[in-house]
Each structure stands twice: as structure tokens, then as C-alpha cells.
Amino acid sequence: MKMHQFLQFLNQQLTHWRRQYKTLRRKGKLIRSPKGKTHRRELLRTMLKNVFLFLSKTNEKSERRKQERALRSKAKSVKIKSSICTVGLDWAYKQRYSVILAIAVVSLTGIIGHKLYNQTQLQVGHPAPQTITAPYTASIEDRKKTEAERKAVSTSSLQVLMLDARINEKINENLQQLLDDGNEIRAVAGAFPFFDPVVLSISSQRYLRSCPDLEWQALLSAVENSNNQQKKGIGQTTASSNQKRQGSITSKSDSQSSKKTEPVDFSQNTDFTQGVAELESYRLTTSEKNLSLLIGKISQTRQRYTQATAKLLQLETVGAEAVYEESLLLDLSDVEWEKTQWGIHQSTERILTQGIPQGLPKNILQDAVSLQLQTFVPESAETLAKNLLLAVLKPNLQKDEEQTRQNAQKAAAVVPPVMVKVRHGEVIVKRGAQITAWDFEVLEHYRLIRREVKWQELVKLGGIIAIAIGIFVWVERHIDYELRQRDRLLVLLLTLSVPGVIVIGLPYTTWSALGLLLGSFYGPTLALTVVGLLWPILGISLDMSKAALLAGVGGGILGSYIAQRLRSREELALLGVAIALTQGGIYLFVKILIGQIFGSTWYIVFQEAGLFALSGLGWSVIALGLSPYLEKVFDLVTPIRLAELANPNRPLLKRLATETPGTFQHTLLVATLAEAAAKELGCNVELVRAGTLYHDIGKMHDPLGFIENQMGGPNKHDTEIKDPWKSAEIIKKHVSEGLVMARKHLLPTAIQAFIPEHQGTMLIAYFHHQAQQMAQSDPSLTVDDADFRYDGPIPQSRETGIVMLADSCEAALRSLQASAKSGGEKRSVKDVSTEQALAMLNNILRAKWQDNQLVDSGLKREEMSQIAQIFVDVWQQFHHKRIAYPKLKTSSAARNS
């Protein structure tokens, strides 16, 4: 017995060594590597050691029995523990729906009520339960006083002003406009001085062009009379008497009746006397002709001066600022006016560079202007220049908010904290006295604030969340979409993201992503329910801006309502832009309603609105990026993913079209029939389309085993196989192979369901009939219906049920079409087959119903006739009646040619 055990052990050991030897030899380590010898020595040493241990322990039966008993007891305990774990896991699996709901209540309560975990028993404004004294001496910062002092320093810090370039530009534009107006008026008046100042002084020229017509006529008369008297040689006495007459003349009408009006005396006007004298002096130094030319030029200048004066008045009447005065603008010479304009620009540049603050007293600005003009402007033009500058100058210094804030922060940071010394044993708060903010700070410093979990508040919050989840469950049971456990888990995770981001401290939370993803995955009803239930819970439980809450909820509602209607990623991207505009607009609208936008912080409101808009767009982009991964991980089908799966360029569909062209054409026809029925019955058309395209992919495992791919060639079932049982196995295998291909290509479960459910547990009637005939002729053969039935399951949804009916009816309609063609050219499909096709399809659908293939599909008995009619209508549209073209008879001439 011992020798037998030893030999058995040795045989096992040698087998093990042989395997190791082959492995080492295959790797090339046994000959070329020096480790090979070492390894062989180790093998030999191990073998000897095992032999020695085996021989030394053969007599230790009692010890081995003890070990066996210990192992049996240990195995028994492990078995008990494993059975307990198995029972627990089985119970958890059976109650997984309730477990997920419990997890939802606990997790939502835990995140939303995070502030209730560490609440203080002692609170400001509440009475103290007992007298509390300081356990030791300490210096404690009085935060309230420190904050007050820092705020005072911050408020009293100097404001930083900055030049506003736009105001400077506007001031320069207004100034240039006024100077252009002055240039225009002076251009109408003409050049000044208009004559040589050596002959006619500037003051006389100024007087002659601007004096009234009455004085001008008197001056001309005086010059003329003086000329006549010199010609007659009148003496000194007569000249003195004429001198008096020069100062006393009347108008032309008055000169004819001098007795009726008294003459006007201009002899006291120095400008008048000087003008007459300078003209007489010019007459003496030149000819009468030159004097006449000078007088004519003066008359023209007077006319232009009158026009310029009228132009100036016209400017004032249309609203121009009355900064020009006749005696100031037109009395300046051209040289003085040029210097005045240059000086005005220089003064303006200096004053604007220095800056004009808001609230500057008017007299200070006037003094500054006067001081600047004294340097650059002629003295005679200072008044005019001053009026011009005061008319256009405005405050151009504005507060630099950012720099002022930084200076205030720096000034406040320098202020040291206010420290209060609390001595050992000093009473902090007496029993029954209300706890002040300072008392609370002292208690917090000494860690005398008792903290606890607010279980009562947590229970209340948990109750509210449980009610909300109950409403969600009620809505879930009343919608068409049936949620799986993984779907409920995804809804929970997306819901937790909203309060989770808020808890982190980010106000721009994931409302847009929540609405967009839930709406895209599960439809608007479920998504709107989640958003609507989460809205009041967060509004009550968390301290957050109501404007921010409303803005986020608005974006979530928009995404929930529209997402499932879209059919491309591009449309979802545009929806993200709409969500961003909605969030920003709602935030701004709420701020307008509460009046915050009309304060000094209006720019902050616009900035926040922009940030909320950007956050909505950002979370939408994140949702679009996560959507394909979530669809894969949680096995979801969305309209966009179904459209992508129905693309004929998908590798699996391209293989189907290439390897099994007949099956592919059959698939397209079935898809057309099923889509039409699904649309009429209100089913998921995109799911029916995609599921139908993949329902027969398993036929690629043996294309020639199906008649539609034989292309008129020999049927292998009749020529090669000749065994209905094997043929049935081949036909049935297209379901199992189809599932293998679908899993390999990671098709969604909803699409995979079409592969077995479109056949259900139907009987493969053709080969079943062959088997029965063979059994009649050979009594040794027995026919089991299970061998000729598909494994199922039967259709579990309306969509798969419709595809089953369309798949069965397509073959019948194809055979009917073939019989119509074989019936002669005069019989069209429409004329012969309408009632016949409808009756045939009704029989097929009735057989499916009676075979209990549709009991779990959700289709109703009264819908069978409606589906049959839809199939016939679609079939007629594909095979409509065509025009019978006449046959051309070839003539003998044509044959001869």
C-alpha cells in the first residue's frame, strides 16, 4: 500500500518535471542559459526532499487524522458562511429595486443635508443652558471689531481715478466743431485787416466795417465836404466853421428838410474823428481815384461783415452754443485768430491730461482755464478762448474700480486684528442669557460649542426625498418606457451630480447636463419629473441664490423637453447654445425684477449672467461628450444612436449586404413593412428600423442554407443534407449565431432582442412536414416538435412583435407576387391580389395569435386586422400597376435593312 502511494506520488512528480522540462526547452533556457543547470539541480533537490518527507510521514497516521478533522471542520464553517452570503446575495438580488430606492433616499439625503452633520447645539440668539467660564487665559480675536476697523480703513482709502479716452475724444470733437463754426463765420466776413494798417489803422478798419450806416454816411459826407472846402481855398476861420459842420449832418431825406429835424453830432466819437482824419490823410498822399477805391473796398467789407453777423445769429437760433460774440470773434485779426486756435488746442490738451474730476467747483475750473490761456492765447482773445473751453470741457476722470478695490484691500490687510484677553475663570456667558456673536466666538475658540448631528432635520429631509422618489416611481409606472435597474442607477447618479456640484462650492451646477441626458435617454416626461422634483428640494434645503436656481432649472427644463426630439449630435450642440442663452436670460431677468441691475453693481450682474450662460454651454458640451460612453456602459438606445446603428455603412450591415444579398433585400422589405405599422400604432419607429436591419444577421454563418441567397441555384437541403433534422438545426442556428455576432459587435440589448424574438418559438413547418413524412415511411423515426421549434423567447415588446409579423408576411407577399407574375401578363398585382393578399395576411396573423406568439408583446387582438391592412397598402405601393407598353412589330423592310 505504501509502495503504491509512493509510486503514484513519484509518477505525479515526474509528470510535473516533464512539463517544466518541455517549457524550459521551448524557451531555450535549458541548454544555452547557465540557469538551466541550476534549475536541474533544484529539481533534483526538490525531488529528494519530497521523497524524504513522504517516507518520514507515512507512519504519522494520527497526526494526519487530526489535520483531516481540522480541515473538515474548517470546510464546514466555510460552507456555512458561504451559504449565509449566498442567501444574503439572493435576497438582495430579489429586492434590488427596493435596495436601489433605499440607496437613492440615503445618498440624496446625505448629500443635500451635508450641513446637518456638524451642527452646534449652542447658537447665537439662544439662551445658554448653563453658566460657562473660560478654562484658561487666552487672547481671542474679536472678528466683528476687526472687520469694522478694516472696513472703515477700506472705505476711507483714496479712490484711484483714470482718464476716460472716450470723453476726451468727445470733448475734442465738440471743440473742433466750434472752431469750424468760427472759421466759417470769419470766412464770410473776409480777411482782416482788409487794408494796409500803415495807411488805415486796425482800430479804424475795425470801426469802419462795423459802424452803423448812419455814422458811415456821416463820415463819407465829412470827407467829401473837406475835399470841397480845400478846392475853394477857404481860410482858417471858415475851415473851423466847416469843422463844426462835419459833426452835424443828417440823412438824405433829412438834408432836404433841415429845418424839420435836428442834426446828429458825431464829433465826440473818437473812432469817427480818427477815421475821417486817416481818410483825409490818405487823400492827401494819393489820388482821388485811390481814395474812391478804398471807400468802395470799405463798403464791400461792411456788406460781408453784415452777412457774417447774420450767419452768427443764425447759428445761435438753430441751437449752437452761444460762445461767440460779434466783438470777440470778428474783431480779431487773422494772425490773432490762428494763434488763438493753436493756444486753445494746447490748453485743452494740458487740462485733459491733468484730468477733470467729478464734482470739481466751477470757479476752480475757470481759474485753471484762465491760467493756461495766458501762456498760449493773445490777450485780446482770452475771453473768447475761455468761453470756448468752458463750453466743451467736462469731467474726464472716472473711478478705477479694480485698482481702488486693490488699494482698499491692501489698506485693510495692514490693519492688525483686534485681540481681547479672556482670563482663566472669567464668565463667558451666564445661564439663561442669550448667546451673542462675541460669546459664540469665545466658546468656539475654547471648543466649548457642542456639535451634533441633527437627526430630526435629517429625518424630515429624508421624508421629503422619499415622497419625491415615490412620485418618481408613480410616474415611472405610468410611462411607456420600462426602466431597468441600471437605468434607475443612472438616473440616481445624474441626479446626485446637481447637489454634489453645489456642495463642492460651484454655483454653476449641472442642470443643463441633467435635463439633456435624461431627456435624450428616457424622454421628456421622466426628465421633467426629475428636474421638477429636485427644484423645490434644493431651494428649501440649500443656501443658494434663487436667481441661480431658477436659471439652472430653466436650462434643465429646456433640455428635458427638446432633447429626445433631436436626431443628430449637431442638433444637440445647437440645443446646448439655446440652453446657455436661456440660463443667462433667466438670471438677468430675475435680477431686473428684484432691482439689483439698477444699482452701482450692474456690471457684476451682467458678468454673472454671462457666466451662467457659459456654464450652461459648458455642461451641455460635457453631456454630449459623455453621452456615447453612457449609452455603451448602461446599454441605452437613443434616437441618435439608433440612427447611427441603422447606417448601411456600418461594418455588420455591409457584410450582410455583401455576403447575403438576398437576406439583405428581405431585411429592407421587412423594415419597410414594420416601420409603417410601427408609425401607425405609435411605437418606436427608430428602434423598429434598426432592430429589423439586424434581425437576420445570423444567416451569414451559412448563406446558402436560406433560399433567398441561393439565387435560383440548387437547394442544399434537397441535394446535400437531405435530413430535415439537420436542416432545422441550420435554420435555428441563425438565431444563436446572430446573438453571437451582435454581442461581438456590442449591439445594444434592445437591438439584440429582435434576433430571437422575431422568430419566437414558431415551428419550422417545412422541415417539420418533411420529418413527419419520413416518419410515416420509417416507423423507427420519431418526430419531436421541440426539434423543429425555435428556442424563443416570444416577442416581449410591441416592436419585436411587429417585426415578427412583418417577417412572416413579407415571405407570403413575395410568394403572392410570384404567383401573380406567373398568371399571365393581363393580370396585375393590384387587380388580382388585393383581397387575396389581405385574406392571406389575416390568416397568418391569426395563426400567430392562436400559437400564443404575441401574448407577451403588448399587441391587441383588434390590432391584427389593422396591421394586415397596413402591410397590404405598403405592398401595393411597391408593386403598383404599370403601363403596358405595346410590342413593336418589325417589318420586312426593317429586317431587310
Side-chain angles (χ1 to χ4, degrees):
M1 186 67 182
K2 292 181 181 180
M3 184 58 65
H4 176 72
Q5 292 177 355
F6 172 73
L7 292 175
Q8 185 178 6
F9 167 77
L10 187 61
N11 184 31
Q12 293 176 354
Q13 193 71 34
L14 289 173
T15 304
H16 174 68
W17 290 336
R18 191 183 302 112
R19 291 174 182 172
Q20 287 187 338
Y21 176 80
K22 290 182 179 179
T23 302
L24 291 173
R25 186 176 180 181
R26 185 169 58 252
K27 293 181 178 180
K29 295 181 179 180
L30 198 61
I31 299 174
R32 288 176 293 179
S33 176
K35 294 181 180 179
K37 296 181 180 179
T38 305
H39 194 74
R40 285 197 295 272
R41 293 194 191 100
E42 286 293 330
L43 289 176
L44 184 59
R45 188 181 296 112
T46 304
M47 182 185 69
L48 295 175
K49 185 185 295 184
N50 289 334
V51 171
F52 176 75
L53 289 174
F54 176 79
L55 294 174
S56 63
K57 292 185 177 181
T58 52
N59 294 324
E60 299 177 357
K61 294 183 179 180
S62 59
E63 189 70 22
R64 189 172 57 201
R65 289 171 184 171
K66 291 180 181 179
Q67 291 180 356
E68 290 177 355
R69 284 196 298 268
L71 289 174
R72 283 197 296 268
S73 62
K74 186 176 181 180
K76 186 176 181 181
S77 63
V78 170
K79 187 176 180 180
I80 294 173
K81 291 180 180 179
S82 63
S83 62
I84 294 174
C85 294
T86 303
V87 171
L89 292 174
D90 290 341
W91 179 87
Y93 179 77
K94 293 177 181 178
Q95 303 295 328
R96 58 190 182 280
Y97 186 28
S98 302
V99 170
I100 290 179
L101 294 180
I103 292 173
V105 174
V106 173
S107 58
L108 284 171
T109 304
I111 292 179
I112 298 175
H114 68 285
K115 291 186 176 180
L116 301 175
Y117 302 151
N118 196 23
Q119 292 291 314
T120 58
Q121 290 182 351
L122 302 179
Q123 297 181 1
V124 177
H126 291 192
Q130 63 185 16
T131 301
I132 305 174
T133 58
Y136 55 88
T137 302
S139 294
I140 304 173
E141 178 187 356
D142 191 338
R143 297 179 184 176
K144 187 175 181 180
K145 290 183 179 180
T146 302
E147 186 66 26
E149 290 189 7
R150 289 177 178 173
K151 187 176 181 180
V153 173
S154 174
T155 305
S156 61
S157 62
L158 295 177
Q159 294 183 354
V160 179
L161 302 178
M162 62 178 179
L163 292 172
D164 193 331
R166 293 176 298 176
I167 296 178
N168 288 351
E169 184 179 355
K170 186 65 176 178
I171 290 174
N172 288 323
E173 288 179 0
N174 293 337
L175 177 62
Q176 189 59 47
Q177 182 63 41
L178 288 177
L179 294 177
D180 291 342
D181 292 342
N183 287 326
E184 184 179 354
I185 294 170
R186 287 181 62 86
V188 174
F192 185 77
F194 56 86
F195 201 70
D196 188 0
V198 177
V199 177
L200 196 62
S201 64
I202 292 180
S203 60
S204 296
Q205 292 185 41
R206 187 181 293 119
Y207 169 72
L208 290 175
R209 72 169 183 171
S210 62
C211 67
D213 289 340
L214 185 61
E215 290 188 37
W216 171 244
Q217 295 298 331
L219 189 144
L220 291 177
S221 297
V223 173
E224 184 179 357
N225 290 336
S226 174
N227 185 23
N228 292 336
Q229 288 176 3
Q230 288 181 4
K231 288 181 180 181
K232 293 178 181 180
I234 299 175
Q236 186 70 24
T237 306
T238 307
S240 61
S241 62
N242 287 336
Q243 186 71 21
K244 293 180 180 179
R245 290 185 59 195
Q246 291 174 7
S248 305
I249 65 173
T250 59
S251 63
K252 293 181 180 181
S253 60
D254 293 340
S255 64
Q256 295 177 0
S257 55
S258 57
K259 297 181 181 180
K260 295 182 180 180
T261 57
E262 296 181 357
V264 180
D265 185 7
F266 295 104
S267 60
Q268 301 300 323
N269 190 340
T270 56
D271 292 332
F272 179 86
T273 306
Q274 182 179 354
V276 173
E278 291 182 0
L279 289 175
E280 288 179 352
S281 175
Y282 180 70
R283 179 176 54 80
L284 294 175
T285 58
T286 187
S287 62
E288 291 291 338
K289 182 179 179 181
N290 290 338
L291 178 62
S292 298
L293 291 174
L294 176 58
I295 292 174
K297 189 170 186 179
I298 294 173
S299 298
Q300 291 178 359
T301 303
R302 286 177 58 79
Q303 291 177 1
R304 299 186 70 173
Y305 184 86
T306 303
Q307 293 175 1
T309 304
K311 180 71 174 178
L312 181 60
L313 293 175
Q314 183 181 2
L315 287 175
E316 293 179 359
T317 55
V318 296
E321 296 188 51
V323 296
Y324 292 118
E325 295 182 8
E326 179 183 348
S327 59
L328 296 177
L329 177 62
L330 299 178
D331 289 350
L332 296 176
S333 65
D334 291 345
V335 176
E336 290 176 333
W337 175 243
E338 291 296 330
K339 290 183 178 180
T340 300
Q341 292 186 87
W342 178 82
I344 289 173
H345 282 298
Q346 292 294 323
S347 302
T348 304
E349 184 178 354
R350 288 195 172 192
I351 292 172
L352 292 181
T353 302
Q354 294 175 355
I356 305 173
Q358 295 283 349
L360 183 67
K362 188 175 182 180
N363 60 331
I364 296 178
L365 181 61
Q366 291 175 351
D367 294 341
V369 171
S370 299
L371 186 62
Q372 292 290 341
L373 292 176
Q374 288 176 5
T375 307
F376 302 106
V377 176
E379 184 177 357
S380 58
E382 284 185 8
T383 304
L384 174 62
K386 184 177 181 180
N387 292 339
L388 281 169
L389 286 180
L390 292 176
V392 297
L393 289 178
K394 295 179 181 179
N396 67 335
L397 290 178
Q398 290 188 345
K399 183 180 178 182
D400 189 342
E401 297 288 347
E402 181 63 24
Q403 193 63 37
T404 300
R405 184 181 61 81
Q406 291 180 4
N407 289 351
Q409 289 179 352
K410 291 179 181 178
V414 177
V415 177
V418 178
M419 306 300 293
V420 178
K421 189 173 184 179
V422 180
R423 299 186 180 278
H424 173 68
E426 182 178 344
V427 176
I428 300 174
V429 62
K430 294 182 179 181
R431 180 179 181 181
Q434 285 191 350
I435 300 174
T436 63
W438 167 245
D439 296 336
F440 190 84
E441 289 186 15
V442 175
L443 294 172
E444 183 72 18
H445 176 81
Y446 285 116
R447 300 184 183 277
L448 297 175
I449 299 296
R450 302 173 185 174
R451 297 188 177 274
E452 63 178 356
V453 178
K454 296 290 185 179
W455 292 107
Q456 186 176 1
E457 298 297 328
L458 280 175
V459 170
K460 289 181 181 178
L461 179 60
I464 295 174
I465 293 175
I467 293 173
I469 291 177
I471 296 174
F472 171 82
V473 172
W474 183 85
V475 173
E476 175 195 339
R477 293 180 178 177
H478 287 78
I479 61 175
D480 295 334
Y481 192 94
E482 183 178 355
L483 296 184
R484 302 161 297 175
Q485 304 305 326
R486 67 183 70 181
D487 297 325
R488 298 185 180 98
L489 181 60
L490 177 59
V491 172
L492 175 60
L493 293 176
L494 294 176
T495 305
L496 288 173
S497 68
V498 178
V501 172
I502 297 175
V503 169
I504 293 173
L506 186 65
Y508 316 108
T509 191
T510 62
W511 286 106
S512 58
L514 175 69
L516 197 148
L517 290 174
L518 289 182
S520 178
F521 294 159
Y522 306 114
T525 303
L526 198 67
L528 288 173
T529 301
V530 174
V531 174
L533 292 174
L534 196 58
W535 174 14
I537 294 175
L538 295 185
I540 296 172
S541 305
L542 298 180
D543 297 330
M544 59 182 303
S545 169
K546 304 306 177 188
L549 180 62
L550 289 174
V553 170
I557 290 175
L558 181 63
S560 302
Y561 187 71
I562 299 180
Q564 201 174 47
R565 301 183 181 183
L566 306 182
R567 294 297 182 269
S568 68
R569 309 283 180 190
E570 182 180 358
E571 292 178 347
L572 284 177
L574 294 177
L575 176 60
V577 176
I579 290 174
L581 296 176
T582 300
Q583 289 196 178
I586 291 177
Y587 184 85
L588 190 62
F589 179 72
V590 173
K591 290 295 183 180
I592 291 174
L593 287 182
I594 62 180
Q596 287 191 7
I597 197 172
F598 303 109
S600 58
T601 58
W602 58 270
Y603 63 94
I604 298 179
V605 175
F606 277 98
Q607 180 182 353
E608 287 293 327
L611 289 175
F612 268 99
L614 289 177
S615 70
L617 180 61
W619 285 117
S620 299
V621 171
I622 293 174
L624 288 176
L626 288 176
S627 179
Y629 300 101
L630 294 177
E631 291 172 358
K632 291 279 188 181
V633 173
F634 290 90
D635 192 25
L636 298 168
V637 286
T638 61
I640 295 176
R641 191 181 184 195
L642 291 174
E644 294 172 350
L645 290 172
N647 187 348
N649 291 320
R650 302 280 295 189
L652 202 56
L653 295 182
K654 291 179 72 173
R655 278 188 57 198
L656 182 67
T658 304
E659 298 177 13
T660 57
T663 299
F664 187 71
Q665 292 299 322
H666 158 75
T667 297
L668 294 180
L669 293 174
V670 173
T672 304
L673 296 174
E675 278 186 84
K679 186 176 181 180
E680 288 294 328
L681 298 180
C683 300
N684 191 334
V685 179
E686 290 85 1
L687 179 60
V688 168
R689 172 75 177 176
T692 307
L693 291 177
Y694 291 93
H695 81 286
D696 270 346
I697 58 175
K699 291 183 179 181
M700 287 189 287
H701 85 282
D702 188 3
L704 296 179
F706 302 90
I707 192 170
E708 66 265 19
N709 299 315
Q710 294 170 1
M711 302 299 178
N715 191 339
K716 64 183 294 184
H717 297 283
D718 298 334
T719 59
E720 298 178 11
I721 301 175
K722 299 180 181 180
D723 186 349
W725 282 270
K726 292 183 179 180
S727 298
E729 283 298 324
I730 293 174
I731 300 299
K732 290 169 62 175
K733 198 173 182 181
H734 90 274
V735 172
S736 58
E737 290 295 327
L739 288 174
V740 172
M741 292 182 183
R743 296 188 184 105
K744 181 179 179 181
H745 287 79
L746 301 178
L747 293 182
T749 304
I751 300 297
Q752 294 181 22
F754 284 84
I755 297 174
E757 292 180 19
H758 86 279
Q759 296 290 358
T761 57
M762 289 191 302
L763 187 69
I764 306 174
Y766 181 82
F767 295 111
H768 181 262
H769 179 68
Q770 279 189 354
Q772 286 181 333
Q773 288 181 339
M774 292 176 65
Q776 289 177 0
S777 59
D778 186 359
S780 62
L781 297 177
T782 57
V783 179
D784 187 0
D785 289 352
D787 295 336
F788 296 91
R789 282 190 178 272
Y790 289 98
D791 297 331
I794 61 176
Q796 301 296 307
S797 66
R798 291 165 63 86
E799 287 78 10
T800 56
I802 290 174
V803 173
M804 168 185 274
L805 300 179
D807 185 63
S808 301
C809 293
E810 190 275 334
L813 292 173
R814 191 164 8 101
S815 64
L816 186 63
Q817 176 188 354
S819 64
K821 289 182 179 179
S822 64
E825 297 177 355
K826 295 183 180 180
R827 299 177 62 198
S828 68
V829 172
K830 184 174 181 181
D831 294 336
V832 177
S833 305
T834 302
E835 295 181 357
Q836 181 182 355
L838 188 59
M840 179 187 295
L841 296 190
N842 280 322
N843 290 333
I844 293 173
L845 300 188
R846 188 182 303 110
K848 293 288 184 295
W849 186 268
Q850 293 174 353
D851 196 23
N852 293 326
Q853 297 294 319
L854 302 172
V855 291
D856 295 337
S857 66
L859 294 173
K860 300 177 182 178
R861 179 66 182 87
E862 55 269 19
E863 292 175 338
M864 295 297 104
S865 58
Q866 183 181 357
I867 293 173
Q869 184 63 52
I870 294 169
F871 288 168
V872 171
D873 293 340
V874 174
W875 177 67
Q876 285 180 336
Q877 292 173 8
F878 270 89
H879 305 288
H880 54 78
K881 183 177 181 180
R882 289 179 173 82
I883 298 173
Y885 291 95
K887 293 184 178 180
L888 298 177
K889 297 181 179 180
T890 57
S891 62
S892 59
R895 287 195 299 270
N896 294 332
S897 62

